[in-house]
Amino acid sequence: MVLAGLAPHVFGVSAHAQTTPSVAAGSILVPTEGISGSFESLVKLASDRSKNDADLPTGKLSGIFDGLNSDQYRAIRPESLRLQADNATVLLDALPPGTVFSNPVKLSVIDGDQTFDVRFDPAIFSFDPRYFDPEQVAQFRDESASDTLGYSGFRLRAPLNRPDELDEFIVFQGASYFRGVARGMVYGLSARGLAIDTAAPEGEEFPRFIQFWIEAPEPNSQTVVVRALLESRSCTGAFQFEISPGETTVMQTRCKLFPRRDIDQIGIAPLTSMFFFGPSRRAGVDDFRDAVHDSSGLQMVTGDGRRIWRSLANPTTLQVSAFADENPKGFGLSQRQRDFEYYQDAEARYEKRPSGWVEPIGSWGRGSVLLVEIPVKTEFNDNIVAFWRPEKPLGPSEEGHEFNYRVHWCATPPDTAPLGRAYALRSGALDKNSNNRILVIDFRKEMAWVEGITVQAWANGQPVENVRLRRLPDGKSIRASFAYDVGDASVTEFEMTLMGPEGPESETWLYRLARS
């Protein structure tokens, strides 16, 4: 395996770059004086660091990277490092500091048994002259860069949609956040390495990936191995992601965590998304679109094989839901509506946002899938978080706590059970002078429905008797609708399953309705 970019090679040109600074990769790639970047070496490093107080590198924006607005930041283009010799099918783009990204992240690349640090150098970036004065750019490049500046993360590109075009398929940037995309899709929800104290009254702790090691793929392969060192006040961790882009982009994930204290409110394999509004509730929303969200529901396959769909909401107060389970088979935040007509947004293209699915590997034991829903007034803030919380706190351990799982970035999570799926929820006031609301849930099934469909429905643990079922004109859908008086209850929990003579014909639909 040969890492292209070492002298006499040079950095390949980013497909997005408007100017091409000529920078020899040999001046950027420096033989490492640190660890090799193997997973075992990261585990030892994380274990050793956990025995001392946290050491989180901090940065300060300066020079041309300081005071940037979002348009200016997007106008900075990195050159690309080829991770394979000749005919490279995977490129690495080191991302600049700026806007909210001030903390430096160390980048290293691994070529066989050699490891190289990627030295920070502003000369690898091109600055669009529509947003930057070329003379100021030249002056800044001639000056020594501040020691407080560093890369803010990186992205990987490969021929995802076309064989002759290299598209982004994963980006790591900010705290322990990363986003993936599959063929034909655009970025939407995010994942994280770890969540600590999410929705806790004392505030959330955000662990950070402080260094990455990116391994050059085998020839003619697009599978990239990325390793990362995680650090926070309460925990360290070693992560390995084996990333394969395609129709579904899959991240085979392995992590070992070393808490510095007992952590009760810990989130494993967290996903973060946005739900602003949909047909279920539009109170206070004046918008030309019918729905705005990156994800429409929390989808689960429990340890005993039960399929659950929890419709999301933008509540008026913080809502936390816990779904107890043992050895879950999968959970994720899914975007089910795939028609442009559902959203009517020709710019954001919410129908192309991926679903994120976590597939645990091995036994995760007892715990809960937690769903956090936070009130928001715009679509520009993420307000939905889902993760696995073990039943017992994770505490200091010489061996560490290991979790293995796959993250799927996809249109539809990989669950092929032949059940009807809840794909639309609508709700509204039945009349203006009472607390009666009507709820309408559409279930769709690709295979034929059996005859004799009945319904089991509950509200706050009590049966709902007045549910009406109707076949819809598409021939694949059944609509369930009912009116319910929520009275003075602050929260109403709904549950519904369509039943056939031999058992469930649909997944179980759940929904929490909180009073305004």
Side-chain angles (χ1 to χ4, degrees):
M1 190 188 313
V2 177
L3 182 67
L6 290 175
H9 298 288
V10 295
F11 275 91
V13 181
S14 166
H16 303 291
Q18 296 191 13
T19 61
T20 308
S22 177
V23 181
S27 68
I28 300 296
L29 299 182
V30 181
T32 183
E33 296 180 359
I35 66 172
S36 66
S38 68
F39 185 71
E40 291 72 22
S41 63
L42 261 67
V43 168
K44 184 179 185 307
L45 179 60
S47 177
D48 291 345
R49 291 175 70 97
S50 71
K51 297 176 175 62
N52 302 303
D53 291 339
D55 182 14
L56 286 163
T58 57
K60 182 179 179 181
L61 298 175
S62 61
I64 205 166
F65 296 106
D66 190 21
L68 301 179
N69 60 38
S70 58
D71 289 334
Q72 290 172 313
Y73 184 75
R74 286 193 295 267
I76 304 173
R77 306 296 191 188
E79 277 204 279
S80 299
L81 177 63
R82 295 191 298 270
L83 291 181
Q84 296 150 309
D86 306 321
N87 299 321
T89 58
V90 180
L91 299 183
L92 182 150
D93 294 340
L95 299 177
T99 61
V100 299
F101 304 112
S102 60
N103 293 321
V105 174
K106 292 183 179 179
L107 301 180
S108 300
V109 291
I110 303 172
D111 177 27
D113 58 359
Q114 293 181 296
T115 302
F116 302 87
D117 294 332
V118 183
R119 184 175 61 84
F120 179 74
D121 189 337
I124 74 166
F125 300 109
S126 64
F127 298 82
D128 190 329
R130 294 175 297 177
Y131 296 90
F132 295 93
D133 183 342
E135 291 186 3
Q136 291 182 352
V137 171
Q139 180 181 355
F140 180 75
R141 282 179 174 157
D142 291 339
E143 297 172 351
S144 298
S146 167
D147 291 338
T148 65
L149 290 173
Y151 299 115
S152 61
F154 70 96
R155 66 187 176 212
L156 295 173
R157 296 190 288 119
L160 181 65
N161 297 298
R162 293 176 44 175
D164 59 344
E165 186 172 330
L166 300 176
D167 299 309
E168 293 181 47
F169 63 90
I170 196 76
V171 59
F172 288 83
Q173 190 178 34
S176 69
Y177 284 88
F178 53 95
R179 293 193 296 168
V181 70
R183 185 172 300 137
M185 314 210 83
V186 300
Y187 281 129
L189 83 167
S190 303
R192 280 189 274 171
L194 189 67
I196 298 177
D197 292 338
T198 303
E202 60 272 20
E204 184 167 0
E205 178 179 327
F206 288 92
R208 285 161 47 188
F209 287 138
I210 62 173
Q211 186 167 359
F212 292 95
W213 291 261
I214 303 99
E215 192 169 297
E218 295 294 334
N220 302 314
S221 173
Q222 294 179 21
T223 295
V224 184
V225 175
V226 173
R227 300 186 184 95
L229 176 65
L230 179 134
E231 179 73 281
S232 81
R233 184 177 68 253
S234 301
C235 188
T236 67
F239 282 74
Q240 177 172 287
F241 306 95
E242 186 175 324
I243 311 167
S244 300
E247 189 71 29
T248 292
T249 293
V250 181
M251 302 177 69
Q252 185 92 12
T253 306
R254 181 184 183 188
C255 73
K256 265 202 172 183
L257 303 174
F258 295 89
R260 292 186 167 97
R261 62 173 176 89
D262 288 340
I263 308 176
D264 178 30
Q265 299 188 67
I266 194 166
I268 307 300
L271 300 170
T272 302
S273 192
M274 178 274 295
F275 185 97
F276 183 28
F277 69 89
S280 59
R281 196 163 192 175
R282 293 179 55 96
V285 176
D286 186 10
D287 199 293
F288 75 94
R289 298 163 295 182
D290 298 322
V292 173
H293 50 73
D294 285 338
S295 305
S296 54
L298 170 67
Q299 185 172 342
M300 291 173 280
V301 180
T302 66
D304 61 5
R306 188 185 185 199
R307 269 70 181 176
I308 294 174
W309 174 262
R310 165 61 154 74
S311 296
L312 297 178
N314 179 8
T316 55
T317 58
L318 175 70
Q319 300 292 315
V320 180
S321 305
F323 306 90
D325 199 5
E326 183 172 3
N327 297 324
K329 291 184 170 62
F331 65 91
L333 296 172
S334 183
Q335 184 82 312
R336 282 200 170 163
Q337 296 78 18
R338 293 297 175 189
D339 297 325
F340 170 80
E341 288 73 16
Y342 184 82
Y343 305 96
Q344 291 292 334
D345 193 323
E347 182 178 355
R349 302 308 299 268
Y350 287 109
E351 77 278 6
K352 292 181 176 290
R353 304 294 171 108
S355 299
W357 182 254
V358 176
E359 177 191 355
I361 299 172
S363 298
W364 279 19
R366 297 181 61 84
S368 300
V369 174
L370 259 70
L371 174 66
V372 179
E373 297 167 297
I374 304 167
V376 290
K377 295 184 179 180
T378 74
E379 64 198 273
F380 304 111
N381 298 104
D382 287 342
N383 65 321
I384 304 295
V385 187
F387 52 80
W388 173 257
R389 176 169 291 170
E391 184 178 56
K392 296 181 179 179
L394 298 191
S397 166
E398 285 292 331
E399 297 78 20
H401 304 272
E402 183 162 348
F403 295 88
N404 295 282
Y405 53 96
R406 297 184 187 93
V407 180
H408 301 256
W409 307 91
C410 51
T412 304
D415 176 30
T416 57
L419 293 172
R421 307 288 179 168
Y423 73 91
L425 166 65
R426 297 172 177 83
S427 176
L430 194 61
D431 55 66
K432 296 182 179 180
N433 300 316
S434 73
N435 292 316
N436 273 315
R437 295 194 66 81
I438 185 168
L439 286 89
V440 178
I441 309 96
D442 292 343
F443 293 87
R444 178 179 293 166
K445 186 180 179 185
E446 294 305 316
M447 300 176 64
W449 295 90
V450 300
E451 296 298 324
I453 296 289
T454 58
V455 62
Q456 292 181 353
W458 310 84
N460 286 345
Q462 300 299 313
V464 177
E465 305 289 354
N466 62 332
V467 181
R468 299 182 62 183
L469 299 180
R470 296 179 178 86
R471 302 266 183 168
L472 296 185
D474 65 5
K476 297 181 179 180
S477 302
I478 292 179
R479 172 167 293 180
S481 61
F482 63 94
Y484 187 81
D485 187 345
V486 298
D488 57 1
S490 59
V491 171
T492 305
E493 300 277 5
F494 294 102
E495 177 179 332
M496 179 183 293
T497 309
L498 302 187
M499 302 295 294
E502 304 298 326
E505 272 286 294
S506 76
E507 64 190 357
T508 297
W509 166 80
L510 305 176
Y511 183 57
R512 171 180 286 187
L513 179 62
R515 286 181 68 92
S516 301

